[in-house]
mmCIF file of all heavy atoms in Angstrom:
data_model
loop_
_atom_site.group_PDB
_atom_site.id
_atom_site.type_symbol
_atom_site.label_atom_id
_atom_site.label_comp_id
_atom_site.label_asym_id
_atom_site.label_seq_id
_atom_site.Cartn_x
_atom_site.Cartn_y
_atom_site.Cartn_z
ATOM 1 N N ASP A 166 -19.698 7.688 4.566
ATOM 2 C CA ASP A 166 -20.563 8.829 4.309
ATOM 3 C C ASP A 166 -20.981 9.425 5.646
ATOM 4 O O ASP A 166 -20.557 8.966 6.714
ATOM 5 C CB ASP A 166 -21.774 8.415 3.471
ATOM 6 C CG ASP A 166 -22.577 7.270 4.100
ATOM 7 O OD1 ASP A 166 -22.447 7.041 5.334
ATOM 8 O OD2 ASP A 166 -23.339 6.621 3.382
ATOM 9 N N LEU A 167 -21.827 10.447 5.610
ATOM 10 C CA LEU A 167 -22.231 11.114 6.845
ATOM 11 C C LEU A 167 -22.880 10.155 7.833
ATOM 12 O O LEU A 167 -22.640 10.230 9.039
ATOM 13 C CB LEU A 167 -23.196 12.263 6.535
ATOM 14 C CG LEU A 167 -22.579 13.605 6.147
ATOM 15 C CD1 LEU A 167 -23.672 14.601 5.804
ATOM 16 C CD2 LEU A 167 -21.702 14.147 7.282
ATOM 17 N N GLY A 168 -23.694 9.259 7.325
ATOM 18 C CA GLY A 168 -24.376 8.314 8.208
ATOM 19 C C GLY A 168 -23.404 7.458 9.000
ATOM 20 O O GLY A 168 -23.563 7.261 10.207
ATOM 21 N N ARG A 169 -22.371 6.958 8.339
ATOM 22 C CA ARG A 169 -21.394 6.102 9.017
ATOM 23 C C ARG A 169 -20.536 6.912 9.986
ATOM 24 O O ARG A 169 -20.174 6.417 11.064
ATOM 25 C CB ARG A 169 -20.509 5.390 7.991
ATOM 26 C CG ARG A 169 -21.264 4.368 7.151
ATOM 27 C CD ARG A 169 -20.316 3.389 6.513
ATOM 28 N NE ARG A 169 -19.686 2.534 7.507
ATOM 29 C CZ ARG A 169 -18.671 1.725 7.259
ATOM 30 N NH1 ARG A 169 -18.135 1.686 6.055
ATOM 31 N NH2 ARG A 169 -18.155 0.981 8.209
ATOM 32 N N ILE A 170 -20.192 8.130 9.594
ATOM 33 C CA ILE A 170 -19.410 8.974 10.508
ATOM 34 C C ILE A 170 -20.232 9.298 11.747
ATOM 35 O O ILE A 170 -19.722 9.254 12.877
ATOM 36 C CB ILE A 170 -18.956 10.265 9.803
ATOM 37 C CG1 ILE A 170 -18.043 9.946 8.614
ATOM 38 C CG2 ILE A 170 -18.239 11.187 10.794
ATOM 39 C CD1 ILE A 170 -16.786 9.180 8.958
ATOM 40 N N HIS A 171 -21.500 9.620 11.584
ATOM 41 C CA HIS A 171 -22.364 9.928 12.729
ATOM 42 C C HIS A 171 -22.545 8.703 13.627
ATOM 43 O O HIS A 171 -22.646 8.839 14.846
ATOM 44 C CB HIS A 171 -23.718 10.425 12.243
ATOM 45 C CG HIS A 171 -23.660 11.794 11.636
ATOM 46 N ND1 HIS A 171 -24.647 12.288 10.801
ATOM 47 C CD2 HIS A 171 -22.722 12.784 11.738
ATOM 48 C CE1 HIS A 171 -24.327 13.522 10.438
ATOM 49 N NE2 HIS A 171 -23.171 13.837 10.988
ATOM 50 N N ALA A 172 -22.589 7.525 13.012
ATOM 51 C CA ALA A 172 -22.717 6.304 13.816
ATOM 52 C C ALA A 172 -21.465 6.074 14.663
ATOM 53 O O ALA A 172 -21.555 5.602 15.806
ATOM 54 C CB ALA A 172 -22.978 5.106 12.907
ATOM 55 N N MET A 173 -20.309 6.398 14.107
ATOM 56 C CA MET A 173 -19.064 6.221 14.844
ATOM 57 C C MET A 173 -18.879 7.305 15.897
ATOM 58 O O MET A 173 -18.430 7.026 17.012
ATOM 59 C CB MET A 173 -17.875 6.227 13.875
ATOM 60 C CG MET A 173 -16.519 6.096 14.551
ATOM 61 S SD MET A 173 -15.169 5.888 13.368
ATOM 62 C CE MET A 173 -15.489 4.216 12.798
ATOM 63 N N PHE A 174 -19.241 8.540 15.536
ATOM 64 C CA PHE A 174 -19.083 9.678 16.442
ATOM 65 C C PHE A 174 -20.420 10.423 16.561
ATOM 66 O O PHE A 174 -20.625 11.448 15.890
ATOM 67 C CB PHE A 174 -18.007 10.644 15.928
ATOM 68 C CG PHE A 174 -16.616 10.081 15.853
ATOM 69 C CD1 PHE A 174 -15.915 10.079 14.661
ATOM 70 C CD2 PHE A 174 -15.998 9.560 16.989
ATOM 71 C CE1 PHE A 174 -14.625 9.577 14.594
ATOM 72 C CE2 PHE A 174 -14.705 9.053 16.938
ATOM 73 C CZ PHE A 174 -14.023 9.058 15.735
ATOM 74 N N PRO A 175 -21.344 9.925 17.371
ATOM 75 C CA PRO A 175 -22.650 10.581 17.498
ATOM 76 C C PRO A 175 -22.549 12.052 17.892
ATOM 77 O O PRO A 175 -23.425 12.849 17.530
ATOM 78 C CB PRO A 175 -23.346 9.763 18.595
ATOM 79 C CG PRO A 175 -22.676 8.428 18.566
ATOM 80 C CD PRO A 175 -21.256 8.705 18.194
ATOM 81 N N ARG A 176 -21.495 12.405 18.593
ATOM 82 C CA ARG A 176 -21.336 13.790 19.023
ATOM 83 C C ARG A 176 -21.234 14.735 17.823
ATOM 84 O O ARG A 176 -21.690 15.884 17.888
ATOM 85 C CB ARG A 176 -20.086 13.914 19.899
ATOM 86 C CG ARG A 176 -19.883 15.278 20.548
ATOM 87 C CD ARG A 176 -21.001 15.607 21.506
ATOM 88 N NE ARG A 176 -20.763 16.861 22.209
ATOM 89 C CZ ARG A 176 -21.705 17.583 22.784
ATOM 90 N NH1 ARG A 176 -22.973 17.173 22.745
ATOM 91 N NH2 ARG A 176 -21.404 18.699 23.404
ATOM 92 N N LEU A 177 -20.680 14.266 16.729
ATOM 93 C CA LEU A 177 -20.566 15.110 15.549
ATOM 94 C C LEU A 177 -21.929 15.408 14.932
ATOM 95 O O LEU A 177 -22.155 16.500 14.392
ATOM 96 C CB LEU A 177 -19.649 14.461 14.507
ATOM 97 C CG LEU A 177 -18.180 14.290 14.902
ATOM 98 C CD1 LEU A 177 -17.389 13.690 13.752
ATOM 99 C CD2 LEU A 177 -17.558 15.605 15.362
ATOM 100 N N GLN A 178 -22.836 14.464 15.033
ATOM 101 C CA GLN A 178 -24.192 14.720 14.550
ATOM 102 C C GLN A 178 -24.894 15.747 15.441
ATOM 103 O O GLN A 178 -25.560 16.657 14.954
ATOM 104 C CB GLN A 178 -24.996 13.430 14.500
ATOM 105 C CG GLN A 178 -26.391 13.605 13.908
ATOM 106 C CD GLN A 178 -27.097 12.288 13.694
ATOM 107 O OE1 GLN A 178 -26.732 11.257 14.255
ATOM 108 N NE2 GLN A 178 -28.130 12.307 12.853
ATOM 109 N N GLU A 179 -24.689 15.612 16.749
ATOM 110 C CA GLU A 179 -25.287 16.562 17.689
ATOM 111 C C GLU A 179 -24.756 17.978 17.463
ATOM 112 O O GLU A 179 -25.489 18.956 17.638
ATOM 113 C CB GLU A 179 -24.992 16.123 19.131
ATOM 114 C CG GLU A 179 -25.589 14.786 19.523
ATOM 115 C CD GLU A 179 -25.058 14.295 20.864
ATOM 116 O OE1 GLU A 179 -24.414 15.101 21.576
ATOM 117 O OE2 GLU A 179 -25.274 13.117 21.189
ATOM 118 N N ARG A 180 -23.503 18.070 17.081
ATOM 119 C CA ARG A 180 -22.849 19.371 16.925
ATOM 120 C C ARG A 180 -22.772 19.807 15.461
ATOM 121 O O ARG A 180 -22.017 20.721 15.125
ATOM 122 C CB ARG A 180 -21.435 19.296 17.500
ATOM 123 C CG ARG A 180 -21.369 18.910 18.968
ATOM 124 C CD ARG A 180 -21.634 20.105 19.856
ATOM 125 N NE ARG A 180 -20.367 20.729 20.247
ATOM 126 C CZ ARG A 180 -20.249 21.954 20.715
ATOM 127 N NH1 ARG A 180 -21.316 22.721 20.814
ATOM 128 N NH2 ARG A 180 -19.074 22.438 21.071
ATOM 129 N N GLY A 181 -23.555 19.200 14.617
ATOM 130 C CA GLY A 181 -23.445 19.409 13.177
ATOM 131 C C GLY A 181 -23.543 20.844 12.717
ATOM 132 O O GLY A 181 -22.921 21.233 11.731
ATOM 133 N N ARG A 182 -24.317 21.676 13.421
ATOM 134 C CA ARG A 182 -24.496 23.074 13.006
ATOM 135 C C ARG A 182 -23.497 24.016 13.690
ATOM 136 O O ARG A 182 -23.470 25.209 13.378
ATOM 137 C CB ARG A 182 -25.923 23.533 13.309
ATOM 138 C CG ARG A 182 -26.987 22.813 12.490
ATOM 139 C CD ARG A 182 -28.386 23.288 12.868
ATOM 140 N NE ARG A 182 -29.407 22.602 12.104
ATOM 141 C CZ ARG A 182 -29.872 23.000 10.918
ATOM 142 N NH1 ARG A 182 -29.369 24.105 10.365
ATOM 143 N NH2 ARG A 182 -30.815 22.326 10.285
ATOM 144 N N ASN A 183 -22.717 23.490 14.606
ATOM 145 C CA ASN A 183 -21.719 24.328 15.280
ATOM 146 C C ASN A 183 -20.521 24.573 14.375
ATOM 147 O O ASN A 183 -20.161 23.741 13.545
ATOM 148 C CB ASN A 183 -21.246 23.663 16.570
ATOM 149 C CG ASN A 183 -22.293 23.691 17.657
ATOM 150 O OD1 ASN A 183 -23.046 22.723 17.829
ATOM 151 N ND2 ASN A 183 -22.378 24.776 18.402
ATOM 152 N N MET A 184 -19.884 25.725 14.575
ATOM 153 C CA MET A 184 -18.684 26.041 13.816
ATOM 154 C C MET A 184 -17.504 25.228 14.352
ATOM 155 O O MET A 184 -17.501 24.804 15.517
ATOM 156 C CB MET A 184 -18.369 27.535 13.904
ATOM 157 C CG MET A 184 -19.530 28.435 13.505
ATOM 158 S SD MET A 184 -20.137 28.117 11.822
ATOM 159 C CE MET A 184 -18.797 28.819 10.858
ATOM 160 N N GLY A 185 -16.509 25.040 13.520
ATOM 161 C CA GLY A 185 -15.353 24.249 13.924
ATOM 162 C C GLY A 185 -14.657 24.792 15.150
ATOM 163 O O GLY A 185 -14.154 24.016 15.978
#
Side-chain angles (χ1 to χ4, degrees):
D166 56 20
L167 276 177
R169 293 199 68 190
I170 298 301
H171 289 161
M173 178 172 289
F174 296 123
R176 187 63 176 159
L177 295 182
Q178 184 172 18
E179 297 170 12
R180 301 279 266 162
R182 294 178 181 271
N183 288 95
M184 306 303 287

